[in-house]
Amino acid sequence: MAQFPEVSKQSSLHPKPADVFLQYATAGFRTNAKLLDHVMFRMGVLATLRSKKTNATIGVMVTASHNPEEDNGVKLIDPMGEMLSQTWEVFATQLANADQDDFLTALMDVIEKGSVDMSREANVFVGKDTRSSSASLSQAVLDGVSALGGRSRDYGLLTTPQLHYMVRCHNTRGEYGEATLEGYYKKLSQAFIQLTKNASNCTDDQKHLSVDAANGIGALKLREMECYLNKELHISLFNDGSRGKLNHRCGADFVKTQQKAPTGLTMNPGERGCSFDGDADRIVYYYIDSEGQFHLLDGDKIATLICTFLKELFTQVGLNLNVAVVQTAYANGSSTHYLEDTMKVMVRCTKTGVKHLHHAAQEFDVGVYFEANGHGTVLFSEAAEEQIRQLVEDATADEERKRVALLLQNTVNVINQTVGDAISDMLLIEAILTIKGMTVQQWDAIYGDLPNRQLKVKVADRRVIDTTDAERRVVSPAGLQESIDTLVRNHRRARAFVRPSGTEDVVRVYAEAETRESADALAHEVSLAVYRLAGGVGGEPKPLL
Ligand code: 16G
Ligand code: MG
């Protein structure tokens, strides 16, 4: 095809291997890095089209988050810093899987179906994590952009949320902040310093936090940020990538799924620690008590802390805002119970995946969304932000109202509203604990988690599992939901659900119950039901020892 000679030429330098099929899923494309060169080139092309379509800058992040070092992945970022629109996810899958000889035809098809005006200019921001494969893969993205005549800006090493932030800043002409790393560090750290400056009696002990950076990009970026924090937070950085392997026995995903401390981290009993994941968009907290017992404070605990704090401030200044918490089926039953019954907060449940939570949270004045795995943030509607601004500017307000209004404004500023951001979430949590003079144990005691267990089951084709009600119930295969219901009835305060994973070729099983033994037993029983009714392979799941 004569229209795109440069695409044609460049595409042949990034050829697609035969029989590789990949789907743009919850977190974009993700697989072994060796299979991704053509996908990256094609996503550079697609981002250029999307930029023309939206008349705005689009982001492309090269990362595989918490996956092992040998994997990589890519995801596109839409103009306001949100996830790529779902219609375009289909185009992404189409372009990535077109046979080498059919690539230009697929390109023309996407241009037509997406009604892209090719005469428009295009601008693409590119970022990458620290994986050894990321350098050449992000170059392939840049090649894709230039092949279609788009302009690009290569930010090099960034956390995923930092790239989301850059895209939003640029597209709002600086209204959200300056689209540079320095702009990001300054905005967040100044808000943090303002938030904590009047906290009384904050001792050095309270200012100390251990951070496990999963041997990933978060370590580099936290180091860069430290000088902006004016020593208001004392960070001991572990798993900073100087020795250990990325995500190996460390990081937020490991800690959450294994329910134990990361390797490579030393902490005294009672001290606070937190773990980022490989691209620093998730965070979980924890501490070890004097008996050596590990206590996890996951996304549900984080959402509750933030929600409590915000509601208190709104009450103090008499702001009547509609606050909601958005969770997924993985949220611990105790957290939902506490939020709804004790705090009287509206709770919404969505399917797994940030884009679902994000969209649901946009429906409220203030939407706090967190997945139990630690991915989340807070969204403020324009009207809510405007009301906070007016309070700050109200010349007639007394000192106390002014103080609280400023706290609210700095809370808004410390939050990265584009997507969950481990660094931003960490600063917000640290600020809240400081302002409330609260220890990690006191935070943990707000409610007690029900013991829970997650397991995976291998099946021949995980697409046989179809779910409804935000993944809380199964509609097929026939009989599976009835089996789960029967099993759940045999345990106290129990709940269980199964869903096909969006990132791995497995069916995930979740169970919670009143006791550890009960939760473990129920998870095992449900995995057996999945194995038997959904075409399990590779031997029956074994009970946990
Ligand atoms: C991806 C999602 C995460 C979700 C996880 C579920 C984004 C940015 N990330 O990592 O939100 O919790 O997938 O994985 O949306 P699973 O489908 O394999 O359980
Ligand atoms: Mg991540």
Side-chain angles (χ1 to χ4, degrees):
M1 252 163 252
Q3 286 100 321
F4 302 115
E6 194 54 29
V7 174
S8 186
K9 193 172 120 201
Q10 288 279 335
S11 165
S12 64
L13 301 175
H14 299 282
K16 175 182 176 295
D19 56 272
V20 176
F21 178 85
L22 297 166
Q23 179 147 11
Y24 196 98
T26 357
F29 293 107
R30 214 180 271 184
T31 189
N32 189 288
K34 293 201 180 90
L35 303 175
L36 281 170
D37 183 65
H38 69 291
V39 175
M40 296 291 169
F41 173 80
R42 293 169 181 206
M43 288 308 103
V45 169
L46 185 75
T48 311
L49 296 182
R50 182 76 184 147
S51 173
K52 288 177 189 284
K53 170 75 188 176
T54 56
N55 232 344
T57 292
I58 295 295
V60 182
M61 183 69 198
V62 176
T63 180
S65 184
H66 56 278
N67 282 41
E69 157 79 35
E70 55 276 17
D71 284 358
N72 216 323
V74 59
K75 51 187 169 190
L76 268 64
I77 302 168
D78 257 358
M80 288 306 278
E82 69 279 45
M83 303 282 169
L84 178 65
S85 103
Q86 295 199 32
T87 343
W88 279 65
E89 288 186 0
V90 180
F91 298 159
T93 303
Q94 186 184 347
L95 276 195
N97 293 296
D99 283 340
Q100 189 62 28
D101 293 343
D102 300 335
F103 179 58
L104 285 190
T105 317
L107 176 58
M108 300 295 286
D109 192 44
V110 169
I111 292 172
E112 198 194 312
K113 280 199 257 171
S115 314
V116 181
D117 176 353
M118 292 303 286
S119 66
R120 285 195 184 154
E121 298 204 327
N123 194 32
V124 177
F125 284 179
V126 181
K128 61 167 184 268
D129 73 11
T130 53
R131 284 160 211 271
S132 53
S133 59
S134 290
S136 68
L137 291 176
S138 75
Q139 186 55 51
V141 174
L142 294 165
D143 290 351
V145 178
S146 70
L148 210 49
R151 271 181 298 135
S152 58
R153 175 161 175 186
D154 182 6
Y155 277 92
L157 293 167
L158 284 185
T159 70
T160 297
Q162 284 177 333
L163 186 63
H164 284 255
Y165 177 89
M166 302 303 170
V167 170
R168 172 124 164 207
C169 288
H170 187 79
N171 286 325
T172 54
R173 316 229 171 289
E175 203 181 284
Y176 194 65
E178 200 194 306
T180 60
L181 268 173
E182 189 178 15
Y184 171 93
Y185 294 138
K186 276 192 176 156
K187 179 177 172 186
L188 269 62
S189 54
Q190 278 167 12
F192 175 77
I193 290 166
Q194 292 299 318
L195 275 172
T196 51
K197 74 173 179 199
N198 292 327
S200 47
N201 312 323
C202 190
T203 63
D204 277 1
D205 267 2
Q206 280 158 343
K207 287 185 184 175
H208 179 256
L209 174 69
S210 296
V211 181
D212 151 34
N215 291 313
I217 182 74
L220 269 63
K221 298 299 148 183
L222 211 47
R223 281 238 164 84
E224 279 173 20
M225 187 176 207
E226 256 187 311
C227 62
Y228 295 90
L229 287 170
N230 265 0
K231 302 203 166 53
E232 288 304 317
L233 183 62
H234 306 170
I235 295 172
S236 299
L237 195 54
F238 296 90
N239 298 324
D240 65 353
S242 54
R243 276 173 305 164
K245 213 165 134 188
L246 177 68
N247 297 325
H248 182 67
R249 304 190 67 74
C250 61
D253 197 64
F254 171 86
V255 171
K256 169 70 185 163
T257 53
Q258 304 294 313
Q259 306 186 24
K260 59 179 169 211
T263 48
L265 179 134
T266 42
M267 250 169 47
N268 294 323
E271 283 179 358
R272 286 190 311 285
C274 67
S275 285
F276 294 3
D277 72 338
D279 62 340
D281 62 358
R282 288 194 201 173
I283 185 168
V284 292
Y285 268 70
Y286 39 81
Y287 67 95
I288 293 159
D289 66 23
S290 50
E291 266 108 61
Q293 173 99 24
F294 175 76
H295 296 263
L296 176 68
L297 293 96
D298 63 2
D300 306 334
K301 293 255 174 185
I302 295 173
T304 308
L305 179 74
I306 296 174
C307 187
T308 311
F309 175 71
L310 286 173
K311 283 203 71 156
E312 281 168 7
L313 295 188
F314 293 148
T315 308
Q316 283 172 38
V317 285
L319 270 186
N320 189 13
L321 294 171
N322 180 7
V323 184
V325 173
V326 184
Q327 305 184 315
T328 71
Y330 287 104
N332 196 281
S334 289
S335 72
T336 316
H337 196 267
Y338 178 80
L339 286 163
E340 284 182 333
D341 300 345
T342 310
M343 281 190 69
K344 310 283 180 223
V345 172
M346 186 175 336
V347 177
R348 282 276 303 275
C349 183
T350 71
K351 284 171 34 173
T352 301
V354 172
K355 62 184 173 217
H356 302 298
L357 291 104
H358 193 92
H359 284 149
Q362 281 171 328
E363 286 168 27
F364 303 94
D365 294 331
V366 181
V368 181
Y369 77 81
F370 268 88
E371 290 192 302
N373 64 25
H375 188 124
T377 185
V378 186
L379 305 185
F380 296 87
S381 69
E382 262 177 47
E385 283 200 25
E386 181 52 33
Q387 288 188 48
I388 293 171
R389 227 183 336 264
Q390 279 175 9
L391 269 180
V392 172
E393 285 160 13
D394 181 2
T396 62
D398 60 33
E399 283 306 306
E400 181 55 15
R401 264 174 85 82
K402 268 214 179 97
R403 185 187 72 82
V404 180
L406 276 172
L407 278 181
L408 275 171
Q409 191 175 53
N410 284 310
T411 303
V412 173
N413 286 337
V414 86
I415 292 169
N416 182 350
Q417 292 190 53
T418 63
V419 79
D421 180 335
I423 293 180
S424 151
D425 290 339
M426 175 191 82
L427 293 177
L428 175 61
I429 294 163
E430 290 300 308
I432 295 176
L433 294 178
T434 303
I435 293 165
K436 290 172 80 75
M438 204 180 210
T439 64
V440 68
Q441 291 84 349
Q442 288 166 331
W443 169 20
D444 195 27
I446 293 179
Y447 67 84
D449 270 326
L450 283 170
N452 57 90
R453 178 66 64 194
Q454 293 192 43
L455 296 175
K456 317 180 199 186
V457 184
K458 278 228 164 262
V459 296
D461 180 1
R462 69 191 199 276
R463 285 170 303 181
V464 301
I465 305 242
D466 196 11
T467 64
T468 183
D469 190 21
E471 301 176 325
R472 287 175 290 192
R473 294 188 68 79
V474 170
V475 284
S476 70
L480 181 54
Q481 186 58 49
E482 290 72 16
S483 300
I484 297 173
D485 289 342
T486 309
L487 295 168
V488 165
R489 274 197 293 272
N490 294 333
H491 298 270
R492 287 166 63 93
R493 295 173 72 198
R495 190 170 68 90
F497 67 90
V498 306
R499 54 175 282 277
S501 159
T503 63
E504 261 184 90
D505 192 13
V506 295
V507 175
R508 296 204 192 281
V509 172
Y510 175 92
E512 67 184 29
E514 196 171 67
T515 63
R516 157 75 30 232
E517 295 68 31
S518 208
D520 286 352
L522 179 58
H524 176 243
E525 290 153 13
V526 172
S527 36
L528 279 179
V530 171
Y531 185 87
R532 288 175 191 150
L533 294 166
V537 292
E540 281 200 352
K542 302 250 177 335
L544 288 161
L545 293 175

